[in-house]
Amino acid sequence: MGSSYEFSRNGNKDVSLQELRDRLAEFAQVRGWDQYHSPRNLLLALVGEVGELSEIFQWKGEVARGLPDWSSDDKEHLEEEISDVLLYLIQLADVCGLDLGQAALSKIVKNARKYPVTNQTPAAASTN
Amino acid sequence: MGSSYEFSRNGNKDVSLQELRDRLAEFAQVRGWDQYHSPRNLLLALVGEVGELSEIFQWKGEVARGLPDWSSDDKEHLEEEISDVLLYLIQLADVCGLDLGQAALSKIVKNARKYPVTNQTPAAASTN
Amino acid sequence: MGSSYEFSRNGNKDVSLQELRDRLAEFAQVRGWDQYHSPRNLLLALVGEVGELSEIFQWKGEVARGLPDWSSDDKEHLEEEISDVLLYLIQLADVCGLDLGQAALSKIVKNARKYPVTNQTPAAASTN
Amino acid sequence: MGSSYEFSRNGNKDVSLQELRDRLAEFAQVRGWDQYHSPRNLLLALVGEVGELSEIFQWKGEVARGLPDWSSDDKEHLEEEISDVLLYLIQLADVCGLDLGQAALSKIVKNARKYPVTNQTPAAASTN
Protein backbone atom coordinates (compact mmCIF):
# COMPACT_ATOMS: atom_id res chain seq x y z
CA MET A 1 0.00 0.00 0.00
CA GLY A 2 1.31 3.37 -0.82
CA SER A 3 0.66 7.03 -0.56
CA SER A 4 -0.88 8.97 -3.36
CA TYR A 5 1.96 11.47 -3.27
CA GLU A 6 4.66 9.39 -4.88
CA PHE A 7 5.15 11.32 -8.10
CA SER A 8 8.68 12.27 -7.21
CA ARG A 9 9.94 8.80 -6.38
CA ASN A 10 9.64 7.07 -9.73
CA GLY A 11 12.83 5.27 -10.54
CA ASN A 12 14.66 6.59 -7.53
CA LYS A 13 16.80 4.27 -5.52
CA ASP A 14 15.88 3.28 -2.03
CA VAL A 15 17.98 5.34 0.39
CA SER A 16 18.82 3.73 3.69
CA LEU A 17 19.40 5.38 7.05
CA GLN A 18 22.69 3.55 7.36
CA GLU A 19 23.94 4.95 4.07
CA LEU A 20 23.04 8.46 5.17
CA ARG A 21 24.66 7.86 8.56
CA ASP A 22 27.91 6.69 6.96
CA ARG A 23 28.03 9.63 4.58
CA LEU A 24 27.39 12.11 7.38
CA ALA A 25 30.00 10.54 9.66
CA GLU A 26 32.59 10.81 6.90
CA PHE A 27 31.47 14.34 6.02
CA ALA A 28 31.98 15.50 9.59
CA GLN A 29 35.23 13.66 10.10
CA VAL A 30 37.10 14.94 7.05
CA ARG A 31 36.11 18.48 8.00
CA GLY A 32 37.10 18.10 11.63
CA TRP A 33 33.52 18.86 12.66
CA ASP A 34 32.87 15.71 14.64
CA GLN A 35 34.45 17.32 17.69
CA TYR A 36 31.43 19.64 17.85
CA HIS A 37 28.95 16.81 17.50
CA SER A 38 28.09 16.23 21.11
CA PRO A 39 24.53 15.00 21.73
CA ARG A 40 23.19 18.30 23.02
CA ASN A 41 24.93 20.35 20.34
CA LEU A 42 23.29 18.20 17.68
CA LEU A 43 19.96 18.33 19.46
CA LEU A 44 19.98 22.13 19.46
CA ALA A 45 21.02 22.14 15.81
CA LEU A 46 18.04 19.87 15.14
CA VAL A 47 15.74 22.29 16.96
CA GLY A 48 17.17 25.08 14.84
CA GLU A 49 16.30 23.22 11.64
CA VAL A 50 12.81 22.39 12.89
CA GLY A 51 12.43 26.13 13.35
CA GLU A 52 13.49 26.80 9.77
CA LEU A 53 11.07 24.13 8.58
CA SER A 54 8.26 25.76 10.55
CA GLU A 55 9.05 29.17 9.10
CA ILE A 56 8.22 27.85 5.63
CA PHE A 57 4.72 27.00 6.84
CA GLN A 58 4.15 29.81 9.31
CA TRP A 59 2.00 32.35 7.43
CA LYS A 60 0.29 29.99 5.02
CA GLY A 61 -2.79 28.87 6.93
CA GLU A 62 -3.82 25.30 6.23
CA VAL A 63 -1.74 23.73 3.45
CA ALA A 64 -3.14 21.14 1.02
CA ARG A 65 -1.48 17.73 0.63
CA GLY A 66 0.91 17.54 -2.26
CA LEU A 67 1.44 21.32 -2.06
CA PRO A 68 -0.45 22.02 -5.32
CA ASP A 69 -0.11 25.80 -5.00
CA TRP A 70 3.56 25.96 -4.12
CA SER A 71 6.22 27.22 -6.50
CA SER A 72 9.12 24.94 -7.38
CA ASP A 73 11.38 27.28 -5.40
CA ASP A 74 9.22 26.85 -2.31
CA LYS A 75 9.23 23.09 -2.76
CA GLU A 76 13.00 23.01 -3.14
CA HIS A 77 13.36 25.11 0.00
CA LEU A 78 11.10 22.69 1.83
CA GLU A 79 13.13 19.71 0.61
CA GLU A 80 16.27 21.32 1.97
CA GLU A 81 14.84 22.09 5.38
CA ILE A 82 13.17 18.70 5.82
CA SER A 83 16.50 17.14 4.84
CA ASP A 84 18.40 19.24 7.35
CA VAL A 85 16.13 18.00 10.13
CA LEU A 86 16.69 14.40 9.01
CA LEU A 87 20.46 14.79 8.75
CA TYR A 88 20.80 16.16 12.27
CA LEU A 89 18.44 13.50 13.61
CA ILE A 90 20.58 10.78 12.05
CA GLN A 91 23.73 12.30 13.52
CA LEU A 92 22.14 12.69 16.93
CA ALA A 93 21.14 9.01 16.95
CA ASP A 94 24.64 8.10 15.78
CA VAL A 95 26.54 9.93 18.50
CA CYS A 96 24.13 8.47 21.05
CA GLY A 97 24.99 4.99 19.77
CA LEU A 98 21.47 4.20 18.57
CA ASP A 99 20.49 2.36 15.42
CA LEU A 100 17.85 4.73 14.13
CA GLY A 101 16.42 2.40 11.48
CA GLN A 102 15.95 -0.47 13.92
CA ALA A 103 14.56 1.90 16.53
CA ALA A 104 12.02 3.25 14.05
CA LEU A 105 10.90 -0.24 12.99
CA SER A 106 10.52 -1.23 16.64
CA LYS A 107 8.48 1.88 17.34
CA ILE A 108 6.09 1.11 14.49
CA VAL A 109 5.57 -2.39 15.91
CA LYS A 110 5.01 -0.94 19.37
CA ASN A 111 2.52 1.58 18.00
CA ALA A 112 0.67 -1.18 16.15
CA ARG A 113 0.21 -3.04 19.44
CA LYS A 114 -0.87 0.11 21.24
CA TYR A 115 -3.40 1.06 18.56
CA PRO A 116 -4.84 -2.19 17.18
CA VAL A 117 -6.89 -2.03 13.99
CA THR A 118 -10.53 -2.45 14.84
CA ASN A 119 -13.39 -3.60 12.66
CA GLN A 120 -14.82 -0.15 12.73
CA THR A 121 -15.73 1.46 9.49
CA PRO A 122 -13.46 4.36 8.58
CA ALA A 123 -16.29 6.72 9.45
CA ALA A 124 -16.59 5.30 12.95
CA ALA A 125 -12.84 5.26 13.46
CA SER A 126 -12.60 8.88 12.48
CA THR A 127 -14.68 9.93 15.43
CA ASN A 128 -12.10 8.65 17.88
CA MET B 1 34.25 5.22 7.12
CA GLY B 2 32.09 4.79 10.14
CA SER B 3 31.30 6.15 13.49
CA SER B 4 32.66 4.61 16.63
CA TYR B 5 29.17 4.23 18.04
CA GLU B 6 27.99 1.28 16.04
CA PHE B 7 27.71 -1.33 18.76
CA SER B 8 23.97 -1.64 18.33
CA ARG B 9 23.95 -2.19 14.61
CA ASN B 10 25.80 -5.48 14.31
CA GLY B 11 23.89 -7.84 12.10
CA ASN B 12 20.95 -5.51 11.70
CA LYS B 13 19.39 -5.02 8.32
CA ASP B 14 19.65 -1.76 6.49
CA VAL B 15 16.35 0.07 6.93
CA SER B 16 15.29 2.36 4.09
CA LEU B 17 13.25 5.52 4.25
CA GLN B 18 10.94 4.14 1.60
CA GLU B 19 10.21 1.03 3.66
CA LEU B 20 9.36 3.18 6.68
CA ARG B 21 7.24 5.45 4.51
CA ASP B 22 5.24 2.54 3.13
CA ARG B 23 4.67 1.05 6.55
CA LEU B 24 3.54 4.38 7.98
CA ALA B 25 1.20 5.07 5.07
CA GLU B 26 -0.44 1.68 5.55
CA PHE B 27 -0.54 2.13 9.33
CA ALA B 28 -2.41 5.42 9.01
CA GLN B 29 -4.74 4.21 6.28
CA VAL B 30 -6.02 1.07 7.97
CA ARG B 31 -6.74 3.11 11.11
CA GLY B 32 -8.47 5.92 9.23
CA TRP B 33 -5.87 8.36 10.52
CA ASP B 34 -4.67 9.65 7.19
CA GLN B 35 -7.53 12.16 7.15
CA TYR B 36 -5.75 13.98 9.98
CA HIS B 37 -2.40 13.94 8.23
CA SER B 38 -2.40 17.38 6.70
CA PRO B 39 1.04 18.99 6.35
CA ARG B 40 0.61 21.42 9.23
CA ASN B 41 -0.96 18.84 11.52
CA LEU B 42 2.03 16.56 10.97
CA LEU B 43 4.45 19.46 11.38
CA LEU B 44 2.98 20.33 14.78
CA ALA B 45 3.07 16.65 15.76
CA LEU B 46 6.75 16.66 14.78
CA VAL B 47 7.37 19.72 16.95
CA GLY B 48 5.63 17.93 19.81
CA GLU B 49 7.97 14.97 19.49
CA VAL B 50 11.04 17.20 19.28
CA GLY B 51 9.84 18.64 22.57
CA GLU B 52 9.63 15.19 24.13
CA LEU B 53 13.09 14.40 22.82
CA SER B 54 14.43 17.62 24.35
CA GLU B 55 12.85 16.81 27.70
CA ILE B 56 15.02 13.70 27.96
CA PHE B 57 18.12 15.90 27.74
CA GLN B 58 16.88 19.00 29.55
CA TRP B 59 18.34 18.72 33.07
CA LYS B 60 21.40 16.65 32.26
CA GLY B 61 24.03 19.27 31.44
CA GLU B 62 26.46 18.19 28.75
CA VAL B 63 25.98 14.56 27.74
CA ALA B 64 28.87 12.29 26.67
CA ARG B 65 28.79 10.52 23.30
CA GLY B 66 27.56 6.97 23.47
CA LEU B 67 25.60 7.84 26.65
CA PRO B 68 27.90 5.80 28.91
CA ASP B 69 26.10 6.84 32.10
CA TRP B 70 22.54 6.28 30.93
CA SER B 71 20.37 3.44 32.15
CA SER B 72 18.92 1.03 29.63
CA ASP B 73 15.49 2.49 30.42
CA ASP B 74 16.71 5.97 29.55
CA LYS B 75 18.25 4.69 26.32
CA GLU B 76 15.04 2.92 25.37
CA HIS B 77 13.06 6.07 26.04
CA LEU B 78 15.48 8.01 23.86
CA GLU B 79 15.14 5.46 21.06
CA GLU B 80 11.39 5.86 21.17
CA GLU B 81 11.42 9.63 21.07
CA ILE B 82 14.06 9.87 18.33
CA SER B 83 11.98 7.38 16.36
CA ASP B 84 8.80 9.39 16.83
CA VAL B 85 10.52 12.46 15.39
CA LEU B 86 11.68 10.42 12.40
CA LEU B 87 8.29 8.84 11.80
CA TYR B 88 6.49 12.19 11.71
CA LEU B 89 9.22 13.66 9.52
CA ILE B 90 8.78 10.83 7.01
CA GLN B 91 5.02 11.29 7.01
CA LEU B 92 5.34 15.04 6.61
CA ALA B 93 7.60 14.59 3.58
CA ASP B 94 5.18 12.00 2.22
CA VAL B 95 2.05 14.15 2.38
CA CYS B 96 4.04 17.00 0.84
CA GLY B 97 4.94 14.75 -2.07
CA LEU B 98 8.68 14.80 -1.39
CA ASP B 99 11.13 11.92 -1.67
CA LEU B 100 12.91 12.32 1.64
CA GLY B 101 15.78 9.94 0.86
CA GLN B 102 16.63 11.64 -2.43
CA ALA B 103 16.23 15.06 -0.85
CA ALA B 104 18.65 14.10 1.93
CA LEU B 105 21.25 12.77 -0.51
CA SER B 106 20.96 15.96 -2.57
CA LYS B 107 21.40 18.07 0.53
CA ILE B 108 24.59 16.23 1.48
CA VAL B 109 25.99 16.89 -2.00
CA LYS B 110 24.99 20.54 -1.74
CA ASN B 111 26.61 20.83 1.67
CA ALA B 112 29.79 19.24 0.35
CA ARG B 113 30.01 21.92 -2.35
CA LYS B 114 29.27 24.66 0.16
CA TYR B 115 31.88 23.44 2.65
CA PRO B 116 34.78 22.01 0.63
CA VAL B 117 37.38 19.94 2.45
CA THR B 118 40.56 21.96 2.81
CA ASN B 119 44.10 20.74 3.34
CA GLN B 120 44.05 22.04 6.84
CA THR B 121 45.15 19.72 9.56
CA PRO B 122 42.33 18.73 11.87
CA ALA B 123 43.86 20.96 14.53
CA ALA B 124 43.74 23.98 12.23
CA ALA B 125 40.24 23.18 11.05
CA SER B 126 39.02 22.92 14.59
CA THR B 127 39.82 26.55 15.25
CA ASN B 128 37.31 27.71 12.67
CA MET C 1 -5.86 50.19 20.77
CA GLY C 2 -6.68 46.72 21.91
CA SER C 3 -7.46 43.27 20.78
CA SER C 4 -10.98 41.98 20.61
CA TYR C 5 -10.07 38.97 22.72
CA GLU C 6 -9.89 40.62 26.08
CA PHE C 7 -12.79 38.95 27.83
CA SER C 8 -10.54 37.31 30.37
CA ARG C 9 -8.63 40.39 31.42
CA ASN C 10 -11.39 42.52 32.92
CA GLY C 11 -10.29 43.84 36.25
CA ASN C 12 -7.06 41.86 36.30
CA LYS C 13 -3.90 43.49 37.44
CA ASP C 14 -1.10 44.21 35.08
CA VAL C 15 1.56 41.52 35.54
CA SER C 16 5.14 42.57 34.90
CA LEU C 17 7.99 40.46 33.62
CA GLN C 18 10.10 41.59 36.55
CA GLU C 19 7.52 40.35 39.05
CA LEU C 20 7.41 36.97 37.35
CA ARG C 21 11.20 36.87 37.20
CA ASP C 22 11.50 37.56 40.93
CA ARG C 23 8.92 34.94 41.83
CA LEU C 24 10.60 32.33 39.66
CA ALA C 25 14.06 33.09 41.04
CA GLU C 26 12.76 32.66 44.58
CA PHE C 27 10.83 29.53 43.61
CA ALA C 28 13.94 27.87 42.23
CA GLN C 29 16.20 28.99 45.05
CA VAL C 30 14.14 27.75 47.97
CA ARG C 31 13.84 24.37 46.26
CA GLY C 32 17.53 24.11 45.43
CA TRP C 33 16.68 23.96 41.72
CA ASP C 34 18.73 26.94 40.60
CA GLN C 35 21.80 24.71 40.34
CA TYR C 36 20.12 23.03 37.36
CA HIS C 37 19.24 26.30 35.69
CA SER C 38 22.11 26.62 33.27
CA PRO C 39 21.29 28.43 30.03
CA ARG C 40 21.20 25.31 27.86
CA ASN C 41 19.24 23.28 30.42
CA LEU C 42 16.60 26.00 30.51
CA LEU C 43 16.62 26.31 26.73
CA LEU C 44 15.91 22.60 26.32
CA ALA C 45 13.20 22.82 28.97
CA LEU C 46 11.70 25.67 26.93
CA VAL C 47 11.79 23.53 23.78
CA GLY C 48 10.05 20.78 25.72
CA GLU C 49 7.24 23.12 26.70
CA VAL C 50 6.90 24.45 23.15
CA GLY C 51 6.43 20.82 22.17
CA GLU C 52 3.65 20.37 24.71
CA LEU C 53 2.03 23.57 23.48
CA SER C 54 2.18 22.30 19.90
CA GLU C 55 0.61 19.00 20.90
CA ILE C 56 -2.53 20.83 21.98
CA PHE C 57 -2.91 22.19 18.45
CA GLN C 58 -1.53 19.27 16.45
CA TRP C 59 -4.62 17.42 15.17
CA LYS C 60 -7.04 20.34 15.09
CA GLY C 61 -6.54 21.79 11.63
CA GLU C 62 -6.94 25.56 11.49
CA VAL C 63 -8.14 27.01 14.78
CA ALA C 64 -10.39 30.08 15.02
CA ARG C 65 -9.34 33.11 17.04
CA GLY C 66 -10.76 33.19 20.53
CA LEU C 67 -11.05 29.36 20.46
CA PRO C 68 -14.88 29.43 20.28
CA ASP C 69 -15.17 25.64 19.97
CA TRP C 70 -12.78 24.69 22.75
CA SER C 71 -13.89 23.23 26.06
CA SER C 72 -12.93 25.00 29.27
CA ASP C 73 -10.62 22.06 30.03
CA ASP C 74 -8.83 22.54 26.73
CA LYS C 75 -8.49 26.26 27.37
CA GLU C 76 -7.13 25.65 30.86
CA HIS C 77 -4.61 23.18 29.45
CA LEU C 78 -3.57 25.76 26.88
CA GLU C 79 -3.16 28.42 29.57
CA GLU C 80 -0.87 26.10 31.48
CA GLU C 81 1.32 25.23 28.54
CA ILE C 82 1.61 28.80 27.24
CA SER C 83 2.54 29.81 30.79
CA ASP C 84 5.19 27.11 31.02
CA VAL C 85 6.83 28.43 27.86
CA LEU C 86 6.78 31.95 29.29
CA LEU C 87 8.17 30.89 32.66
CA TYR C 88 11.15 29.09 31.13
CA LEU C 89 11.75 31.97 28.74
CA ILE C 90 11.88 34.41 31.66
CA GLN C 91 14.28 32.16 33.54
CA LEU C 92 16.47 31.68 30.48
CA ALA C 93 16.74 35.45 30.03
CA ASP C 94 17.47 35.82 33.73
CA VAL C 95 20.35 33.36 33.90
CA CYS C 96 21.77 34.95 30.75
CA GLY C 97 21.70 38.32 32.51
CA LEU C 98 19.22 39.90 30.10
CA ASP C 99 16.37 42.25 30.93
CA LEU C 100 13.60 40.56 28.97
CA GLY C 101 11.10 43.43 29.25
CA GLN C 102 13.55 46.03 28.01
CA ALA C 103 14.77 43.69 25.28
CA ALA C 104 11.20 43.14 24.10
CA LEU C 105 10.43 46.86 24.03
CA SER C 106 13.63 47.50 22.06
CA LYS C 107 12.73 44.77 19.60
CA ILE C 108 9.31 46.32 18.96
CA VAL C 109 10.98 49.67 18.23
CA LYS C 110 13.47 47.96 15.92
CA ASN C 111 10.67 46.14 14.12
CA ALA C 112 8.75 49.39 13.70
CA ARG C 113 11.75 50.93 11.93
CA LYS C 114 12.23 47.85 9.78
CA TYR C 115 8.59 47.71 8.74
CA PRO C 116 7.33 51.30 8.51
CA VAL C 117 3.61 51.89 8.26
CA THR C 118 2.73 52.94 4.75
CA ASN C 119 -0.27 54.89 3.52
CA GLN C 120 -1.62 51.81 1.86
CA THR C 121 -5.16 50.86 2.58
CA PRO C 122 -5.43 47.69 4.63
CA ALA C 123 -6.59 45.88 1.52
CA ALA C 124 -3.49 46.88 -0.40
CA ALA C 125 -1.21 46.08 2.51
CA SER C 126 -2.73 42.65 2.81
CA THR C 127 -1.50 41.65 -0.61
CA ASN C 128 2.12 42.02 0.40
CA MET D 1 14.77 37.56 46.78
CA GLY D 2 16.41 38.08 43.49
CA SER D 3 18.70 36.57 40.96
CA SER D 4 22.36 37.44 40.89
CA TYR D 5 22.13 38.36 37.21
CA GLU D 6 20.42 41.68 37.52
CA PHE D 7 23.19 43.96 36.34
CA SER D 8 21.26 45.03 33.29
CA ARG D 9 18.06 46.02 35.04
CA ASN D 10 19.23 48.91 37.19
CA GLY D 11 16.91 51.83 36.79
CA ASN D 12 14.84 50.22 34.08
CA LYS D 13 11.11 50.43 34.23
CA ASP D 14 8.99 47.43 34.92
CA VAL D 15 7.52 46.22 31.63
CA SER D 16 4.14 44.53 31.80
CA LEU D 17 2.76 41.81 29.57
CA GLN D 18 -0.33 43.91 28.98
CA GLU D 19 1.74 46.83 27.71
CA LEU D 20 3.58 44.56 25.30
CA ARG D 21 0.31 42.98 24.22
CA ASP D 22 -1.25 46.37 23.48
CA ARG D 23 1.77 47.54 21.50
CA LEU D 24 1.86 44.35 19.47
CA ALA D 25 -1.86 44.45 18.73
CA GLU D 26 -1.53 48.01 17.46
CA PHE D 27 1.63 47.16 15.51
CA ALA D 28 -0.11 44.36 13.67
CA GLN D 29 -3.32 46.28 13.08
CA VAL D 30 -1.83 49.41 11.50
CA ARG D 31 0.18 47.19 9.15
CA GLY D 32 -2.76 44.99 8.21
CA TRP D 33 -0.92 41.98 9.57
CA ASP D 34 -3.53 40.86 12.08
CA GLN D 35 -5.34 38.96 9.34
CA TYR D 36 -2.40 36.54 9.31
CA HIS D 37 -2.39 36.13 13.06
CA SER D 38 -4.39 32.96 13.39
CA PRO D 39 -3.45 30.78 16.37
CA ARG D 40 -1.60 28.14 14.36
CA ASN D 41 0.20 30.71 12.20
CA LEU D 42 1.48 32.41 15.32
CA LEU D 43 2.38 29.09 16.91
CA LEU D 44 4.52 28.13 13.92
CA ALA D 45 6.12 31.57 13.94
CA LEU D 46 6.92 30.99 17.61
CA VAL D 47 8.50 27.63 16.78
CA GLY D 48 10.56 29.38 14.12
CA GLU D 49 11.90 31.87 16.65
CA VAL D 50 12.66 29.12 19.17
CA GLY D 51 14.73 27.57 16.39
CA GLU D 52 16.65 30.81 15.87
CA LEU D 53 17.20 31.07 19.60
CA SER D 54 18.54 27.50 19.67
CA GLU D 55 20.91 28.21 16.79
CA ILE D 56 22.69 30.80 18.92
CA PHE D 57 23.48 28.09 21.47
CA GLN D 58 23.92 25.10 19.18
CA TRP D 59 27.70 24.67 18.82
CA LYS D 60 28.77 26.20 22.11
CA GLY D 61 28.72 23.25 24.49
CA GLU D 62 27.69 24.14 28.02
CA VAL D 63 27.29 27.90 28.48
CA ALA D 64 28.06 29.67 31.77
CA ARG D 65 25.41 31.80 33.51
CA GLY D 66 25.70 35.46 32.75
CA LEU D 67 27.43 34.64 29.45
CA PRO D 68 30.83 35.92 30.61
CA ASP D 69 32.60 34.88 27.40
CA TRP D 70 30.09 36.26 24.92
CA SER D 71 30.71 39.30 22.77
CA SER D 72 28.31 42.22 22.97
CA ASP D 73 27.18 41.35 19.44
CA ASP D 74 26.31 37.82 20.51
CA LYS D 75 24.44 39.14 23.53
CA GLU D 76 22.50 41.60 21.41
CA HIS D 77 21.60 38.82 18.99
CA LEU D 78 20.41 36.73 21.91
CA GLU D 79 18.29 39.60 23.25
CA GLU D 80 16.61 39.90 19.86
CA GLU D 81 15.83 36.23 19.51
CA ILE D 82 14.59 35.81 23.08
CA SER D 83 12.40 38.86 22.49
CA ASP D 84 11.01 37.43 19.27
CA VAL D 85 9.93 34.30 21.10
CA LEU D 86 8.25 36.40 23.77
CA LEU D 87 6.49 38.65 21.27
CA TYR D 88 4.96 35.75 19.37
CA LEU D 89 4.00 34.04 22.62
CA ILE D 90 2.17 37.18 23.75
CA GLN D 91 0.37 37.44 20.42
CA LEU D 92 -0.55 33.76 20.46
CA ALA D 93 -2.08 34.12 23.92
CA ASP D 94 -3.87 37.26 22.77
CA VAL D 95 -5.54 35.74 19.70
CA CYS D 96 -6.53 32.76 21.83
CA GLY D 97 -8.23 35.12 24.27
CA LEU D 98 -5.97 34.29 27.21
CA ASP D 99 -4.57 36.67 29.80
CA LEU D 100 -0.95 35.56 29.73
CA GLY D 101 0.11 37.40 32.88
CA GLN D 102 -2.71 35.98 34.98
CA ALA D 103 -2.15 32.54 33.49
CA ALA D 104 1.55 32.69 34.40
CA LEU D 105 0.83 33.78 37.97
CA SER D 106 -1.69 30.97 38.33
CA LYS D 107 0.81 28.45 37.01
CA ILE D 108 3.42 29.54 39.55
CA VAL D 109 0.89 29.03 42.35
CA LYS D 110 -0.05 25.63 40.93
CA ASN D 111 3.61 24.62 40.70
CA ALA D 112 4.19 25.74 44.29
CA ARG D 113 1.43 23.39 45.44
CA LYS D 114 2.76 20.56 43.29
CA TYR D 115 6.33 20.97 44.54
CA PRO D 116 6.12 22.06 48.19
CA VAL D 117 9.26 23.34 49.85
CA THR D 118 10.54 20.73 52.25
CA ASN D 119 12.76 21.14 55.26
CA GLN D 120 15.56 19.43 53.43
CA THR D 121 18.87 21.17 53.33
CA PRO D 122 19.73 22.46 49.86
CA ALA D 123 22.28 19.64 49.60
CA ALA D 124 19.64 17.01 50.25
CA ALA D 125 17.13 18.65 47.93
CA SER D 126 19.66 18.73 45.15
CA THR D 127 19.83 14.97 45.03
CA ASN D 128 16.18 14.68 44.05
Side-chain angles (χ1 to χ4, degrees):
Chain A
M1 179 172 308
S3 139
S4 52
Y5 306 102
E6 36 197 314
F7 52 79
S8 63
R9 295 190 300 109
N10 298 337
N12 283 339
K13 81 180 250 269
D14 203 5
V15 180
S16 80
L17 289 163
Q18 200 165 310
E19 176 182 352
L20 292 171
R21 186 202 71 87
D22 290 347
R23 287 193 178 218
L24 290 168
E26 180 183 357
F27 187 96
Q29 191 176 57
V30 298
R31 284 163 181 80
W33 291 1
D34 42 1
Q35 61 183 312
Y36 301 109
H37 286 184
S38 68
R40 298 223 306 186
N41 278 5
L42 287 167
L43 175 57
L44 286 172
L46 171 73
V47 173
E49 296 299 337
V50 170
E52 294 187 30
L53 178 58
S54 297
E55 286 174 3
I56 299 179
F57 289 92
Q58 69 191 357
W59 301 127
K60 290 193 188 312
E62 198 57 25
V63 169
R65 297 185 196 201
L67 314 178
D69 307 324
W70 289 38
S71 68
S72 58
D73 276 1
D74 278 348
K75 286 183 183 177
E76 188 181 337
H77 185 198
L78 177 62
E79 283 191 320
E80 289 186 11
E81 298 303 342
I82 283 191
S83 296
D84 282 339
V85 176
L86 177 63
L87 299 183
Y88 279 126
L89 193 71
I90 290 169
Q91 291 177 93
L92 173 59
D94 193 30
V95 302
C96 290
L98 308 179
D99 183 323
L100 183 55
Q102 289 301 317
L105 284 180
S106 298
K107 192 57 165 59
I108 292 175
V109 171
K110 197 174 292 188
N111 286 344
R113 286 199 201 106
K114 187 174 176 184
Y115 303 104
V117 181
T118 62
N119 284 329
Q120 294 177 309
T121 62
S126 72
T127 62
N128 287 334
Chain B
M1 178 172 308
S3 135
S4 52
Y5 307 101
E6 36 197 316
F7 51 79
S8 63
R9 294 189 301 107
N10 297 337
N12 283 340
K13 80 181 253 269
D14 203 6
V15 180
S16 81
L17 289 162
Q18 200 165 309
E19 175 182 353
L20 292 172
R21 187 203 70 88
D22 290 347
R23 286 192 180 219
L24 291 167
E26 180 182 357
F27 187 97
Q29 191 176 57
V30 297
R31 285 164 181 78
W33 290 2
D34 43 0
Q35 62 183 312
Y36 301 110
H37 287 185
S38 67
R40 299 222 308 183
N41 278 4
L42 286 168
L43 175 57
L44 286 172
L46 171 72
V47 174
E49 295 299 337
V50 170
E52 294 188 30
L53 178 58
S54 297
E55 286 173 3
I56 299 179
F57 288 92
Q58 69 191 358
W59 302 126
K60 290 192 188 312
E62 197 58 23
V63 169
R65 296 185 197 200
L67 313 179
D69 306 325
W70 290 37
S71 68
S72 57
D73 275 2
D74 279 347
K75 287 183 182 177
E76 188 181 337
H77 186 199
L78 176 62
E79 283 191 321
E80 289 185 10
E81 298 303 342
I82 283 190
S83 296
D84 282 337
V85 176
L86 177 63
L87 298 183
Y88 279 125
L89 193 72
I90 290 170
Q91 291 176 94
L92 173 60
D94 193 32
V95 301
C96 289
L98 308 179
D99 183 323
L100 182 56
Q102 289 301 317
L105 283 180
S106 299
K107 191 57 165 58
I108 292 175
V109 171
K110 196 174 293 189
N111 286 344
R113 285 200 202 105
K114 187 174 176 184
Y115 303 105
V117 180
T118 63
N119 283 329
Q120 294 177 311
T121 61
S126 72
T127 64
N128 286 336
Chain C
M1 178 171 308
S3 138
S4 52
Y5 305 100
E6 36 197 315
F7 52 80
S8 63
R9 294 190 301 108
N10 297 337
N12 283 339
K13 79 180 253 267
D14 204 5
V15 180
S16 79
L17 289 163
Q18 198 165 310
E19 176 182 353
L20 292 171
R21 187 202 69 88
D22 290 346
R23 287 193 179 217
L24 290 167
E26 180 182 358
F27 187 97
Q29 191 176 57
V30 297
R31 284 163 182 79
W33 290 3
D34 43 0
Q35 61 183 315
Y36 301 110
H37 287 185
S38 68
R40 299 222 307 184
N41 278 6
L42 287 167
L43 175 56
L44 286 172
L46 171 72
V47 173
E49 296 300 338
V50 171
E52 293 187 31
L53 179 58
S54 297
E55 285 174 3
I56 299 178
F57 288 93
Q58 69 191 358
W59 301 127
K60 291 193 187 314
E62 197 58 24
V63 169
R65 297 184 197 201
L67 314 179
D69 306 325
W70 289 39
S71 68
S72 58
D73 275 1
D74 279 347
K75 287 184 183 177
E76 187 182 338
H77 185 198
L78 176 62
E79 283 191 320
E80 289 186 9
E81 299 302 342
I82 283 190
S83 296
D84 282 338
V85 176
L86 177 63
L87 299 183
Y88 279 125
L89 194 71
I90 290 170
Q91 292 177 93
L92 173 60
D94 192 32
V95 302
C96 290
L98 308 179
D99 183 324
L100 183 56
Q102 290 301 316
L105 283 179
S106 298
K107 191 58 166 56
I108 292 175
V109 172
K110 197 174 293 188
N111 286 345
R113 287 200 200 104
K114 187 174 175 184
Y115 303 104
V117 180
T118 64
N119 283 328
Q120 294 177 310
T121 63
S126 72
T127 63
N128 287 336
Chain D
M1 180 171 307
S3 138
S4 52
Y5 306 100
E6 36 196 315
F7 52 79
S8 64
R9 294 189 303 108
N10 298 336
N12 283 339
K13 81 180 249 269
D14 203 5
V15 180
S16 79
L17 289 163
Q18 200 166 310
E19 176 181 353
L20 292 171
R21 186 203 71 88
D22 290 346
R23 288 193 179 218
L24 290 167
E26 181 182 357
F27 187 97
Q29 190 175 59
V30 297
R31 284 163 181 79
W33 290 3
D34 43 359
Q35 62 183 312
Y36 301 110
H37 287 184
S38 67
R40 298 223 306 185
N41 278 6
L42 287 167
L43 175 56
L44 286 172
L46 171 72
V47 173
E49 297 299 338
V50 171
E52 294 188 30
L53 178 58
S54 296
E55 286 173 2
I56 299 178
F57 288 92
Q58 67 191 358
W59 302 127
K60 290 194 188 312
E62 197 58 24
V63 169
R65 297 185 197 200
L67 315 178
D69 306 324
W70 288 39
S71 69
S72 58
D73 275 2
D74 278 348
K75 286 183 184 177
E76 188 182 339
H77 185 198
L78 176 62
E79 283 191 320
E80 289 185 12
E81 298 303 342
I82 283 190
S83 296
D84 282 338
V85 176
L86 177 63
L87 299 182
Y88 279 126
L89 193 71
I90 290 170
Q91 291 176 94
L92 173 59
D94 193 32
V95 302
C96 289
L98 308 180
D99 183 323
L100 183 55
Q102 289 301 317
L105 283 180
S106 299
K107 192 57 166 57
I108 292 175
V109 171
K110 196 174 294 188
N111 286 344
R113 285 199 202 105
K114 188 174 175 184
Y115 303 104
V117 180
T118 62
N119 283 330
Q120 294 176 310
T121 62
S126 72
T127 63
N128 288 336

